[in-house]
Each structure stands twice: as structure tokens, then as C-alpha cells.
């Protein structure tokens, strides 16, 4: 990676940052210096000039690994419908399968489905693979698919994709290996939607999720919510001898430095989602490698429009001008990010609107709007946590910028455990962290429609809701693109979600671990890494 530094950044400044790191400078000191310089850390850039992963020519069977994510909770679940954390997704990808999945190029491929066909994008026929076994030895049939999909329509289940699934007005079994789905309106995205982690197929009648009875590559041996899980290879996997690991253990180490140290010491073989600050610890370490994925993940600052201070006219606008996106890109993410424009469809998506200019960093304009809101000088809490990637660093940057214009922003740093259930979606001003989704329809349905389950700023717009339905059924690609572009503009200008950057996810791994590749659904190979990786003892 070429260092992206302005003309006034010198080798002396590089040395200054290095010295600050060596003497144990505080995060605040580093950020203050970087903001003053208007640049970000260049230190450690050489780490990313190495190939992200050398793949061995011949996969090796056998062996076990330990892998650490960054967030877990006592609310961890093996119910795919309720999955919300990356740890949930990793386990679901191991224990279950979907009808379809997205490959490394973002192309929809068949998994449990043999084929999916339609004549009008509204009525769909799904042919299932035969002789696929659940872990309990029973054969998967159309009954299991119908049950799995219909669960998302039951409000009592609490499915995270209820609003997406509602478009399925009829889900019926035609024969033991054929399912028909009728949508309320045409939607050409259905095969891609079915690749979401929540649409994993479970056995008909399943209500107990203390263990997972799926068709997946691994069998659940241990599941302790908020602690760990242990998975062993499924000897009857329908894809045959394509799974290399004998077993793996998965848990969370919320602190980035601790996660990297565990990798360097050999205690784990995967340190998922390593933030930019921790990359310097990997410099010159031949025992580790990195896998980089840029696919639309972001950490956003959310201001609820139905609570104070979001109810005050001008406050949200002021916050948008107070966020220094370039400083966040360069100093918080060390260049491993693309500047965002306050809407969730990244440049990696073909429907991304490139014409929406990000709000410029303008403290004086921010001050004008804060005065208009009547909140200049009033203490406003911002809730941040290590659970939301780099949110603490981002909060401190915004806090410091506010202090320079008399805006009193107080960073409330809260523990990772319980953050998603106690603060996310609830606190008036807080951070979120959204994993990539393959279509605008999914992003908008989950996050911005009036009935979205994760409506982070409580954005409500009847016009937006109607446009969502219109775009979903538009078979004309030009028309569909035009609608999505306008919807992105609406979010950027009207919602209370500030998306300063699309983050490049960096998974740090043992150099002995092979087979990891980027995936459009996110890091850790779209959270399905365990099925594809192997250990090379010769590395």
C-alpha cells in the first residue's frame, strides 16, 4: 500500500509518531497531534505491502484451531433468525447452510438449493438437493425449508429479517424436494436475499437452540453464550470431503491489543477484525499474515430523531459538520477505509451513488447549528464502546472538535458486554457497527424503512417507504438505479445516522492458516471461514 500523505508530512513527523508509540503515549495525545497535522498515521504501512495471504497448493486435512472475534454477549444465539453479532454469524455458518450463498466475486451460488427459477420475479420455484442430512441423521426436505422461512414471519420469533421476509406472502411445499415462494411484489433479488445469514435452514419444528441441529460443515459440541463454542467436523457433510479442520473453538477477545497478542503468542490462529491501531504490533512478524476485505462495513454515529438532543432543530446538522471524515479515515483507520457520505451503500455496491458529497468538516457551520439548537455549551453524552469498531477513537475526535467551538460532548465509554442489548438503538447518541449486506433493499429494509428492526435514528418517511417497494419490483435496471440513488440522498440529508467511512476489515491470522479469502458479506470470509481454511505445518 502506498502511503497517502500530504506534502507537509515529513520523515521527522513519522519519527515523532514512532517515538510517541514507544514511550506509551496516550490515545488522546496521538489523536491530538494527528488532528493538528491534518493527517493520519503512516507508521506500520509496510505491514500491508505484503501479500495478504499465500494459499498453499494442496489443502491439508486435520488439525484444530482457536479463533477470536471481537464481540460476544450472554445473548449469543444459535437461532439464525435472531443472530445479530459476528460471533452469531460465524457459528451459524458452521452449523447450518443456506439455500444460496455469495462467492468471493459476489455472485449468488446454489447451496442447499439445486436451482431457483422464476418467470416474473414474483413467483419462484426452488428445487432442493437430495440426500442432505441434518446432524441428527434425518434427511432435509421441503418441510424444513418451509418451516425455516415461515418462522421469520412470526412476530413472536423476533427474527432480525422479519421486515425482509414479509414480502414472502406464500411459502408452500410442492413435493418433498420443491418449494414455491410467492412474493407480494416482484423482487429479482430473492436468490441473493436467501444468502443472508439469518435465512439458514433448520429442522422442521425446531424450538430448542441450546444446541444446533443443522446440515452444516461442523457439529456443535459446546455452546456457552458469551463464553465460547466448540465445533467438530461433520462426517456426513453433503458437500463431501471439502472441510479440512477436525475442529475449531470460537470465542471473543474484545480488546484489540489482547486479541493480537493472543495471535502472536500462538494461543489463537485467527484474530478477527484487527483495528488500525493494533496493526503496528504485527510489523515484522513472519508468524502472522493479514486478510483485507473492503465490502461496506462501517461504524456510524447515530442520533435518535425522536429523543433529545436529536429533537432539537440543527443539532444533527451540526454534528454532521463536526465530524472530520478525513481525520477519521487517516488517523483512526490509518488509511484502511474509504470516506463515507452518511448513507450505507458503499462504493463496492453497483448501486452506490457517487454524486453525494460528504459533509465537509466545518466547525464554524457546526457552531452555527448548535447555537440554533440551543445546545451550545450544554453537556451531551455520546455512548461509545469497543464493541463498535473504533467508536471510542471516533468519539474522542468529535469531542475534541466540539471543545474547540464550545460544544460540550461527553464520551461515555461503556463495556462491550451488553452494549448491543443495552445501548445500541436505545441511547440518544450512540455508535453502531453494521456488517455488509449484498443489496440496497436489504440495507434499507433493516435500517431505514419506518418499520426497520434496526432503525438506528428512528428515521421515518412515507416517501422513502414507497420508493423502497417501487425499487424492489423494478425490473428495469436504469429505473432501479435512479430510485436507489435518490433514496441514498434522502438518507444522507434526512436521517440521523452519520457514516464517516466504509472500513476495510483486517483479519490477522497465523501464517500457517491457509485458504482465507475476501467475501462480500464481510470479514472472516463472510463469517464462513471455518469451512474453507486449513493448517499448513510446513509454513
Amino acid at each position: 500500500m502506498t502511503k497517502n500523505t500530504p506534502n507537509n508530512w515529513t520523515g521527522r513527523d513519522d519519527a515523532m509518531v514512532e517515538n510517541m508509540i514507544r514511550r506509551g503515549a496516550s490515545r488522546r495525545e496521538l489523536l491530538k497531534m494527528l488532528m493538528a497535522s491534518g493527517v493520519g498515521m503512516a507508521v506500520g504501512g509496510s505491514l500491508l505491502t505484503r501479500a495478504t495471504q499465500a494459499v498453499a497448493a494442496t489443502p491439508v486435512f486435520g488439525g484444530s484451531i482457536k479463533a477470536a472475534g471481537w464481540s460476544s454477549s450472554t445473548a449469543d444465539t444459535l437461532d439464525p433468525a435472531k443472530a445479530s453479532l459476528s460471533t452469531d454469524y460465524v457459528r451459524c455458518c458452521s452449523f447450518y447452510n443456506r439455500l444460496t450463498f455469495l462467492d468471493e466475486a459476489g455472485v449468488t451460488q446454489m447451496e442447499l438449493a439445486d436451482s431457483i427459477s422464476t418467470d416474473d420475479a414474483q413467483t419462484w420455484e426452488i428445487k432442493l438437493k437430495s440426500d442432505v442430512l441434518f446432524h441428527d441423521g434425518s434427511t432435509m426436505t421441503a418441510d424444513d425449508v418451509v418451516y425455516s422461512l415461515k418462522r421469520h414471519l412470526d412476530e413472536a420469533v423476533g427474527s432480525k429479517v422479519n421486515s425482509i421476509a414479509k414480502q414472502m406472502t406464500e411459502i408452500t411445499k410442492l413435493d418433498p424436494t420443491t418449494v414455491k415462494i410467492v412474493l407480494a411484489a416482484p423482487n429479482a433479488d430473492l436468490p441473493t436475499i436467501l444468502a443472508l445469514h439469518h435465512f439458514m435452514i433448520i429442522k422442521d419444528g425446531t424450538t430448542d437452540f441450546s444446541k444446533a441441529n443443522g446440515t452444516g460443515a461442523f457439529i456443535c459440541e459446546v455452546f456457552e453464550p458469551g463464553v465460547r463454542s466448540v465445533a467438530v467436523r461433520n462426517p456426513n457433510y453433503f458437500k463431501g470431503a471439502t472441510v479440512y479442520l477436525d475442529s475449531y473453538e470460537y470465542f471473543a477477545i474484545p480488546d484489540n491489543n489482547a486479541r493480537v497478542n493472543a495471535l502472536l503468542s500462538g494461543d489463537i490462529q485467527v484474530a478477527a477484525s484487527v483495528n488500525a491501531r493494533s496493526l503496528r504490533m504485527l510489523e515484522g512478524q513472519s508468524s502472522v499474515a493479514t486478510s483485507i476485505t473492503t465490502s461496506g462495513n462501517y461504524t456510524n454515529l447515530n442520533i435518535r430523531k425522536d429523543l433529545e438532543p436529536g429533537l432539537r432543530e440543527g443539532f444533527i446538522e451540526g454534528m454532521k459538520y463536526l465530524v472530520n471524515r478525513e481525520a477519521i479515515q487517516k488517523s483512526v483507520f490509518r488509511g484502511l477505509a474509504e470516506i463515507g457520505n452518511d448513507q450505507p451503500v458503499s462504493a463496492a455496491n453497483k448501486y452506490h451513488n457517487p454524486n453525494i458529497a460528504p459533509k465537509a468538516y466545518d466547525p464554524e457551520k457546526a457552531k452555527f447549528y448548535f447555537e440554533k439548537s440551543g445546545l451550545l455549551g450544554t453537556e451531551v453524552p455520546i455512548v461509545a464502546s469497543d464493541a463498535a469498531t473504533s467508536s471510542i477513537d471516533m468519539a474522542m475526535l468529535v469531542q475534541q472538535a466540539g471543545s474547540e467551538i464550545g460544544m460540550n460532548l461527553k464520551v461515555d465509554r461503556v463495556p462491550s458486554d451488553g452494549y448491543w442489548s443495552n445501548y445500541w438503538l436505545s441511547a440518544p447518541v450512540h455508535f453502531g457497527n453494521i456488517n455488509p449486506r449484498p443489496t440496497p433493499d436489504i440495507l434499507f429494509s433493516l435500517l431505514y424503512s419506518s418499520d426497520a428492526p434496526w432503525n438506528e435514528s428512528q428515521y421515518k418517511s412515507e416517501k422513502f417507504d414507497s420508493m423502497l417497494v417501487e425499487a424492489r419490483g423494478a425490473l428495469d435496471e436504469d429505473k432501479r438505479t435512479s430510485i436507489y440513488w435518490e433514496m441514498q440522498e434522502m438518507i444522507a440529508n434526512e436521517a440521523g445516522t452519520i457514516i464517516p467511512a466504509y472500513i476495510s476489515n483486517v483479519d490477522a491470522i497465523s501464517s500457517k492458516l491457509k485458504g482465507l479469502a475476501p467475501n462480500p458479506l464481510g470479514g472472516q470470509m463472510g463469517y464462513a471461514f471455518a469451512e474453507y481454511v486449513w493448517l499448513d505445518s510446513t509454513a
Side-chain angles (χ1 to χ4, degrees), residues 163-305:
S163 61
I164 296 175
K166 281 180 178 177
Q167 63 188 289
M168 303 181 199
T169 57
E170 181 184 338
I171 306 168
T172 54
K173 166 186 171 182
L174 298 182
D175 62 49
T177 58
T178 310
V179 173
K180 182 174 79 170
I181 297 177
V182 179
L183 306 179
N187 188 345
D189 282 338
L190 182 64
T192 304
I193 288 170
L194 294 174
L196 288 177
H197 302 99
H198 302 90
F199 288 111
M200 300 284 179
I201 302 304
I202 62 176
K203 186 175 179 180
D204 183 15
T206 300
T207 57
D208 179 8
F209 290 93
S210 59
K211 292 197 76 173
N213 181 26
T215 60
F218 290 87
I219 296 171
C220 179
E221 187 173 80
V222 175
F223 174 55
E224 300 171 359
V227 182
R228 67 172 187 144
S229 60
V230 177
V232 297
R233 182 167 55 197
N234 177 9
N236 299 314
Y237 194 37
F238 72 95
K239 295 183 185 179
T242 59
V243 181
Y244 307 109
L245 296 177
D246 289 332
S247 65
Y248 81 98
E249 182 177 351
Y250 199 81
F251 47 88
I253 303 176
D255 182 80
N256 270 270
N257 284 2
R259 197 156 64 253
V260 172
N261 279 325
L263 177 69
L264 292 173
S265 67
D267 292 333
I268 62 175
Q269 286 70 50
V270 177
S273 193
V274 175
N275 72 22
R277 291 194 322 276
S278 300
L279 285 178
R280 67 178 183 270
M281 299 170 62
L282 303 179
E283 276 281 84
Q285 301 290 337
S286 61
S287 63
V288 299
T290 56
S291 176
I292 303 173
T293 302
T294 304
S295 53
N297 168 260
Y298 60 83
T299 294
N300 55 325
L301 179 58
N302 302 309
I303 304 164
R304 286 188 53 156
K305 295 169 68 73

Side-chain angles (χ1 to χ4, degrees), residues 3 31 38 49 53 61 69 74 115 132 145 207 218 261 275 278 374 384 444 479:
K3 292 181 181 179
L31 292 178
T49 63
Q53 170 76 300
F61 285 89
T74 53
S115 66
V132 175
V145 174
T207 57
F218 290 87
N261 279 325
N275 72 22
S278 300
F444 298 158
K479 179 180 180 181

Side-chain angles (χ1 to χ4, degrees), residues 309 312-315 368-376 407:
R312 300 287 190 100
E313 183 181 356
F315 178 76
F368 167 80
Y369 283 109
F370 290 139
E371 288 176 335
K372 183 177 180 179
S373 71
L375 292 171
L376 189 68
M407 188 64 202

Side-chain angles (χ1 to χ4, degrees), residues 353-533:
N353 184 347
N355 300 323
I356 304 173
K359 282 280 194 298
Y361 174 58
D362 193 330
E364 289 306 310
K365 273 191 179 180
K367 183 176 181 179
F368 167 80
Y369 283 109
F370 290 139
E371 288 176 335
K372 183 177 180 179
S373 71
L375 292 171
L376 189 68
T378 302
E379 183 178 279
V380 175
I382 300 177
V383 179
S385 170
D386 282 327
T389 304
S390 296
S391 65
I392 295 171
D393 289 346
M394 291 168 62
M396 290 178 64
L397 278 174
V398 176
Q399 180 189 47
Q400 183 168 327
S403 69
E404 295 173 2
I405 59 170
M407 188 64 202
N408 185 11
L409 300 172
K410 177 179 177 288
V411 178
D412 282 348
R413 181 174 180 171
V414 300
S416 295
D417 187 41
Y419 179 76
W420 300 109
S421 55
N422 297 327
Y423 299 97
W424 181 54
L425 303 180
S426 301
V429 185
H430 69 279
F431 285 89
N433 180 251
I434 301 302
N435 294 314
R437 299 298 191 279
T439 71
D441 183 72
I442 294 171
L443 286 165
F444 298 158
S445 298
L446 281 175
L447 300 163
Y448 291 98
S449 65
S450 295
D451 61 350
W454 297 344
N455 195 327
E456 294 172 303
S457 71
Q458 291 302 300
Y459 173 66
K460 310 284 185 183
S461 168
E462 291 183 4
K463 178 183 177 182
F464 185 92
D465 294 343
S466 64
M467 291 174 70
L468 181 62
V469 175
E470 183 182 6
R472 186 179 295 147
L475 299 179
D476 184 311
E477 275 296 297
D478 290 339
K479 179 180 180 181
R480 199 177 203 202
T481 299
S482 177
I483 296 171
Y484 282 148
W485 280 28
E486 184 177 350
M487 294 174 78
Q488 290 169 61
E489 289 181 4
M490 292 174 68
I491 291 171
N493 295 326
E494 300 171 9
T497 51
I498 301 173
I499 304 172
Y502 307 108
I503 307 167
S504 297
N505 184 85
V506 182
D507 294 324
I509 60 176
S510 165
S511 58
K512 294 182 178 181
L513 191 74
K514 308 298 182 181
L516 195 69
N519 185 280
L521 281 180
Q524 301 171 84
M525 210 165 179
Y527 309 104
F529 73 96
E531 182 174 346
Y532 302 100
V533 299

Side-chain angles (χ1 to χ4, degrees), residues 33-256:
M33 188 276 278
L34 292 166
M35 284 187 66
S37 303
V39 299
M41 288 188 190
V43 179
S46 61
L47 170 71
L48 299 175
T49 63
R50 302 200 301 262
T52 59
Q53 170 76 300
V55 179
T58 305
V60 178
F61 285 89
S64 300
I65 66 169
K66 292 183 179 181
W70 65 92
S71 182
S72 66
S73 165
T74 53
D76 285 353
T77 181
L78 294 178
D79 184 347
K82 298 178 181 179
S84 60
L85 298 180
S86 58
T87 44
D88 292 337
Y89 298 150
V90 167
R91 290 166 179 139
C92 286
C93 287
S94 296
F95 303 142
Y96 307 100
N97 295 103
R98 293 156 278 190
L99 293 168
T100 64
F101 71 99
L102 296 185
D103 65 16
E104 297 169 24
V107 177
T108 303
Q109 304 288 354
M110 299 296 107
E111 190 162 53
L112 291 176
D114 224 9
S115 66
I116 301 180
S117 59
T118 183
D119 293 325
D120 58 4
Q122 186 167 4
T123 299
W124 297 79
E125 186 172 283
I126 302 173
K127 289 287 188 180
L128 303 175
K129 286 183 169 62
S130 301
D131 302 321
V132 175
L133 298 180
F134 283 101
H135 296 158
D136 67 359
S138 60
T139 301
M140 182 200 71
T141 70
D143 292 322
D144 305 303
V145 174
V146 170
Y147 176 77
S148 298
L149 297 181
K150 281 188 173 181
R151 284 187 77 235
H152 299 289
L153 303 175
D154 183 353
E155 299 287 348
V157 169
S159 170
K160 302 298 185 183
V161 290
N162 171 263
S163 61
I164 296 175
K166 281 180 178 177
Q167 63 188 289
M168 303 181 199
T169 57
E170 181 184 338
I171 306 168
T172 54
K173 166 186 171 182
L174 298 182
D175 62 49
T177 58
T178 310
V179 173
K180 182 174 79 170
I181 297 177
V182 179
L183 306 179
N187 188 345
D189 282 338
L190 182 64
T192 304
I193 288 170
L194 294 174
L196 288 177
H197 302 99
H198 302 90
F199 288 111
M200 300 284 179
I201 302 304
I202 62 176
K203 186 175 179 180
D204 183 15
T206 300
T207 57
D208 179 8
F209 290 93
S210 59
K211 292 197 76 173
N213 181 26
T215 60
F218 290 87
I219 296 171
C220 179
E221 187 173 80
V222 175
F223 174 55
E224 300 171 359
V227 182
R228 67 172 187 144
S229 60
V230 177
V232 297
R233 182 167 55 197
N234 177 9
N236 299 314
Y237 194 37
F238 72 95
K239 295 183 185 179
T242 59
V243 181
Y244 307 109
L245 296 177
D246 289 332
S247 65
Y248 81 98
E249 182 177 351
Y250 199 81
F251 47 88
I253 303 176
D255 182 80
N256 270 270

